[in-house]
Amino acid sequence: MKVSRKQKFHTHIGVIDHNDAIGKEFGSVIKTNKGKYLFLLEPTIYDYVLKSQRSTQIVYPKDLGYIAARTGLQSGQKVVEIGTGSGSLTTFLASIVKPRGHVYTFDVESKFMDIASKNIKKAGMEKYVTMKKFDIKKTTKPPIIDADLVVVDLGDPWTLILQVRKILKGSGSFIAICPTMNQLEKTVSVLQKNNFCDIECTEQILRTIEARVGKTRHSFHGIGHTTYVLFARKAYNGSIRAKRKPKKTDAV
Amino acid sequence: MKVSRKQKFHTHIGVIDHNDAIGKEFGSVIKTNKGKYLFLLEPTIYDYVLKSQRSTQIVYPKDLGYIAARTGLQSGQKVVEIGTGSGSLTTFLASIVKPRGHVYTFDVESKFMDIASKNIKKAGMEKYVTMKKFDIKKTTKPPIIDADLVVVDLGDPWTLILQVRKILKGSGSFIAICPTMNQLEKTVSVLQKNNFCDIECTEQILRTIEARVGKTRHSFHGIGHTTYVLFARKAYNGSIRAKRKPKKTDAV
Amino acid sequence: MKVSRKQKFHTHIGVIDHNDAIGKEFGSVIKTNKGKYLFLLEPTIYDYVLKSQRSTQIVYPKDLGYIAARTGLQSGQKVVEIGTGSGSLTTFLASIVKPRGHVYTFDVESKFMDIASKNIKKAGMEKYVTMKKFDIKKTTKPPIIDADLVVVDLGDPWTLILQVRKILKGSGSFIAICPTMNQLEKTVSVLQKNNFCDIECTEQILRTIEARVGKTRHSFHGIGHTTYVLFARKAYNGSIRAKRKPKKTDAV
Amino acid sequence: MKVSRKQKFHTHIGVIDHNDAIGKEFGSVIKTNKGKYLFLLEPTIYDYVLKSQRSTQIVYPKDLGYIAARTGLQSGQKVVEIGTGSGSLTTFLASIVKPRGHVYTFDVESKFMDIASKNIKKAGMEKYVTMKKFDIKKTTKPPIIDADLVVVDLGDPWTLILQVRKILKGSGSFIAICPTMNQLEKTVSVLQKNNFCDIECTEQILRTIEARVGKTRHSFHGIGHTTYVLFARKAYNGSIRAKRKPKKTDAV
């Protein structure tokens, strides 16, 4: 948030004067006019993701983290995202692949893209993201090739597998954000017929623990379902079960 | 793995000739002498972590991912790791902060450090990691300052909190790898007395799903406990509950 | 187990003489010939279930317990089980509804029924169980009526819903053992069209904790998927969402 | 609920006339004055437990069920409950052990006991329950002996282990309701020193699944922590780890 010296910031525990915050080191405590204390914290990508303006359901940190760890996402990689949504997943991916890597993200809804654009800028990631209005279903030509990772966050990921193959480099990673079991089932079935390997469907359950001396326990508040995550890698000429020679009708 | 043309690679599904693999694109399938197929996949950081030579318990991808997502770890950051162990967490951290960020990692066991060093090199991360034999408990001087993230992977993280404060930048992130509830309890208690905020203890449960047409279900094989993860951020002058002025006896 | 004075019992920690056990109070410790100790414990229904001879996948205690608690199963009730399997669920149900309640159980596989019969007898529940070879799919006449609870443990529970309605008393409970998501989906869909209410699909995750002074944590060994459990209650004339008058074509 | 012909029942979806309900079969649908439908369901023990008037935290069905299944609770058993609370656990236990079994329940808070008494009566279990104001900590004499199961639902179960031993029959089951990890840790430690065996600490996680054609997934709403459950069985003369002869100083 950009702050001006002349303004005040109103919170439920009182008002602070911007003058009290400007120039202070991150981590400092500021007193409100009601005598309460506020922490002045530098926003992290986690904060940007959770506070992003939302046009659609976002991908939560527990799932973002597993996506990064499972695909071995790293600085320098080329990532393609199909379904920009509110841009929070885009922001996360860009924060890791920067400065030499890049995220190419495609959507078809202009109004989502405007919101996403703002969210990505707020987090300072616009230099590492190329966003384009593009309907990948209307073409057989891949918009990008040789990607390390393709992430699909649309309702019907199984319809895009042939395009995903063309975008990915050999042995590159594919992730589909699948909120339902049926999406997993359909997408896995198509992946198996199209020479993907190392297929894994997971769900990440995050539990919080209240650690207090002499009375440590899990939180009463449960954390519910967000999405399942499907992972696979692109192979050539035969799926794991295949014992036949590849046919010409197999996807490229 | 470096491969020589003259060698063969023996697996439980047959032998492959290195000549068959060299020059092939990643993702290719190679036939063994028993007529079975093997995929030639480019190793990811995930693969390096899981295949690392282990001197100690490693931190698993489900936990690595949450650490990255929760702290907002990103390319360019300065990270300090206390307790190098087998170097797999080091490898993961370096893969994200590179090329301009850096990981400083300290341990006291030479024999662990030798193994860690090999694991880090194998994954190609040695340029982004400085490893040192250093007993942080024997000094009050921080080995590094202004870190974005300090990760402690020792049995008694609560003994290091004053040192962690000195290493961290204001509002920087702290992670403790805590396999037991007691470690969470003791460490949180010390953090609360030493001006850390945004304290969170979590466990990440990973469940795998077998998605097959008409018979989709969770895996029969359960994934058990690995570790709890403690997160906190460095603040100044008063913990969340503090309603008093900071005293001189508070940690720096 | 019936024991004879003349026999010995061989275990991996040594041999015990039956004479040493006979007449001892339950809970006693017996020394083996190798100097190790064995506990002489009275078997509970839990023990009978877990040690039952298995012809098919059994229903595990974590799921048995939830079935009892969710349906409000109690002493005196009339229960119908379709799909006897190895008889362990039968044993559990009988142990709760006895002595005045009864379990009627039906299967079509003679060889399963022989094993089930032995398991039920071993646990002392044969007086409270009527087992019959009966193919409920081949008739439209219910074998029993006015049941408090019908449990279906077959692969296609959705095909039996009309029969289940005839067996159940008004507002009686229905449980389907559904190892896959697809079974839940199909069965719920048929239940909704046939005037069942209070429909709930659950899974029970059991986690074990190693509580040891100063190092308490969850077990490294995870407990995986067993089955999902579907619960519903029989209503008349309209499902929860119905805003229409019941038609004659609705199931009875 | 007893209903009188002259009254009406007001709900958020309209009013129903008691006359419309009286005489109807359970499972029937009744139309409110707003044209909405209500189901007339016979309350089960599950309903009584969840709708019980609460003086204290109740034990939830997911935990009740596991207690029953793990201990092999069955009709005819003698159960002792220490800490009656709101009587919902008492109600559940009684519903299973009746008609020849019995639950003896003790508490020290008269006002809790009044509420518990009402809850137990409402569920029709008063014949199978003896409730007494009794402070088990103030005596070394057991109020009952030869119990099949002792359930302790107090904050400090570890202080009662010697009394629990006296109440239990040989190889009888012990359950402690432990909302915190610290209670598990302390209680297990005392059990191990006092000749209990088969010690197990668990937590039961209940997840609900929304099974809908083509979009089946877990519920967004998570179910959080309720309590951990500790199970053990009474043995004599030596704990599992003991390799010594029992001493006179061991608990009886």
Side-chain angles (χ1 to χ4, degrees), chain C residues 89 176 189 229 231:
Chain C
L89 174 51
S189 171
V229 171
F231 169 80

Side-chain angles (χ1 to χ4, degrees), chain A residues 201-205 228, chain B residues 205-207 209 218, chain C residues 203, chain D residues 207 218:
Chain A
C201 300
T202 57
E203 60 170 332
Q204 285 67 41
I205 304 178
Y228 309 113
Chain B
I205 303 177
L206 178 70
R207 305 184 74 209
I209 297 156
H218 285 89
Chain C
E203 60 171 332
Chain D
R207 303 184 74 209
H218 285 89

Side-chain angles (χ1 to χ4, degrees), chain A residues 25-29 36-37 39-42 44-47 61-62 65-66 69-75 92 95-96 98-100 125 169-171 181 184-185 188-189 197 200-209 211-214 216 218 228 233-240 242-244, chain B residues 25-29 36-37 39-42 44-47 61-62 65-66 69-75 92 95-96 98-100 125 169-171 181 184-185 188-189 197 200-209 211-214 216 218 228 233-240 242-244:
Chain A
E25 194 184 352
F26 283 123
S28 298
V29 169
K36 304 276 178 177
Y37 292 91
F39 292 103
L40 187 72
L41 300 176
E42 184 179 20
T44 62
I45 292 299
Y46 176 89
D47 299 320
K62 70 184 182 66
Y66 190 70
R70 186 63 184 86
T71 63
L73 186 67
Q74 57 170 296
S75 183
F92 176 76
S95 73
I96 291 182
K98 76 182 179 104
R100 292 182 202 149
M125 292 299 142
K169 72 177 187 186
S171 93
M181 288 281 174
L184 291 178
E185 195 174 298
V188 165
S189 171
C197 65
E200 182 200 73
C201 300
T202 57
E203 60 170 332
Q204 285 67 41
I205 304 178
L206 178 71
R207 302 184 75 210
T208 54
I209 297 156
R212 290 169 304 174
V213 176
T216 292
H218 285 88
Y228 309 113
R233 297 184 76 179
K234 176 185 175 180
Y236 291 103
N237 299 346
S239 73
I240 272 169
K243 293 190 178 169
R244 57 174 177 82
Chain B
E25 194 185 352
F26 282 123
S28 298
V29 168
K36 304 276 179 177
Y37 292 92
F39 292 103
L40 188 71
L41 300 177
E42 183 179 18
T44 61
I45 292 298
Y46 176 89
D47 299 320
K62 71 183 180 68
Y66 190 70
R70 186 64 183 86
T71 63
L73 186 68
Q74 57 171 294
S75 183
F92 175 77
S95 74
I96 290 181
K98 78 180 175 99
R100 291 180 203 151
M125 294 298 142
K169 72 175 189 187
S171 91
M181 287 281 174
L184 290 179
E185 195 175 297
V188 164
S189 171
C197 64
E200 182 200 72
C201 299
T202 57
E203 60 171 334
Q204 285 66 43
I205 303 177
L206 178 70
R207 305 184 74 209
T208 53
I209 297 156
R212 289 169 305 172
V213 176
T216 292
H218 285 89
Y228 310 112
R233 299 183 76 179
K234 176 185 175 181
Y236 291 104
N237 298 346
S239 73
I240 272 169
K243 293 189 177 170
R244 58 175 177 80

Side-chain angles (χ1 to χ4, degrees), chain C residues 54-232:
Chain C
R54 298 179 195 189
S55 50
T56 56
Q57 185 60 264
I58 67 162
V59 180
Y60 282 86
K62 71 184 180 67
D63 303 313
L64 292 175
Y66 190 70
I67 292 169
R70 185 63 183 87
T71 63
L73 187 68
Q74 58 171 294
S75 183
Q77 291 189 333
K78 189 199 281 188
V79 176
V80 172
E81 182 191 37
I82 301 169
T84 310
S86 53
S88 60
L89 174 51
T90 328
T91 297
F92 175 77
L93 297 168
S95 73
I96 290 181
V97 302
K98 78 180 175 103
R100 292 182 202 149
H102 204 81
V103 180
Y104 299 87
T105 184
F106 304 105
D107 209 309
V108 294
E109 291 275 2
S110 300
K111 77 175 175 210
F112 289 175
M113 291 170 74
D114 289 348
I115 293 171
S117 192
K118 277 180 209 157
N119 285 329
I120 292 163
K121 256 183 208 147
K122 215 185 211 172
M125 293 298 141
E126 70 276 21
K127 268 177 68 181
Y128 316 110
V129 174
T130 300
M131 189 189 299
K132 232 180 174 169
K133 185 165 178 170
F134 179 76
D135 189 348
I136 202 167
K137 293 181 184 175
K138 292 205 171 138
T139 173
T140 56
K141 225 192 116 201
I144 305 281
I145 57 166
D146 276 333
D148 294 283
L149 169 63
V150 174
V151 180
V152 173
D153 189 5
L154 295 182
D156 50 1
W158 61 90
T159 64
L160 299 176
I161 299 309
L162 294 189
Q163 277 284 48
V164 166
R165 277 197 73 81
K166 290 177 191 160
I167 297 170
L168 276 178
K169 72 176 189 187
S171 91
S173 294
F174 167 64
I175 287 284
I177 307 299
C178 295
T180 74
M181 287 281 174
N182 311 76
Q183 291 167 314
L184 291 180
E185 195 175 297
K186 284 180 188 164
T187 311
V188 164
S189 171
V190 176
L191 288 168
Q192 283 172 336
K193 286 176 194 142
N194 285 285
N195 295 323
F196 279 79
C197 64
D198 207 1
I199 299 172
E200 182 200 72
C201 299
T202 57
E203 60 171 332
Q204 285 67 42
I205 303 178
L206 178 70
R207 304 185 72 210
T208 54
I209 297 156
E210 322 256 316
R212 290 168 305 172
V213 177
K215 40 185 181 169
T216 292
R217 55 162 178 76
H218 285 89
S219 302
F220 289 144
H221 181 72
I223 295 172
H225 177 64
T226 56
T227 189
Y228 310 112
V229 171
L230 191 164
F231 169 80

Side-chain angles (χ1 to χ4, degrees), chain D residues 197-223:
Chain D
C197 65
D198 206 1
I199 299 172
E200 182 200 73
C201 300
T202 57
E203 60 170 332
Q204 285 68 40
I205 304 178
L206 178 70
R207 303 184 74 209
T208 54
I209 297 156
E210 322 256 318
R212 290 169 304 172
V213 176
K215 40 186 180 168
T216 292
R217 55 162 178 76
H218 285 89
S219 302
F220 290 144
H221 180 71
I223 295 171

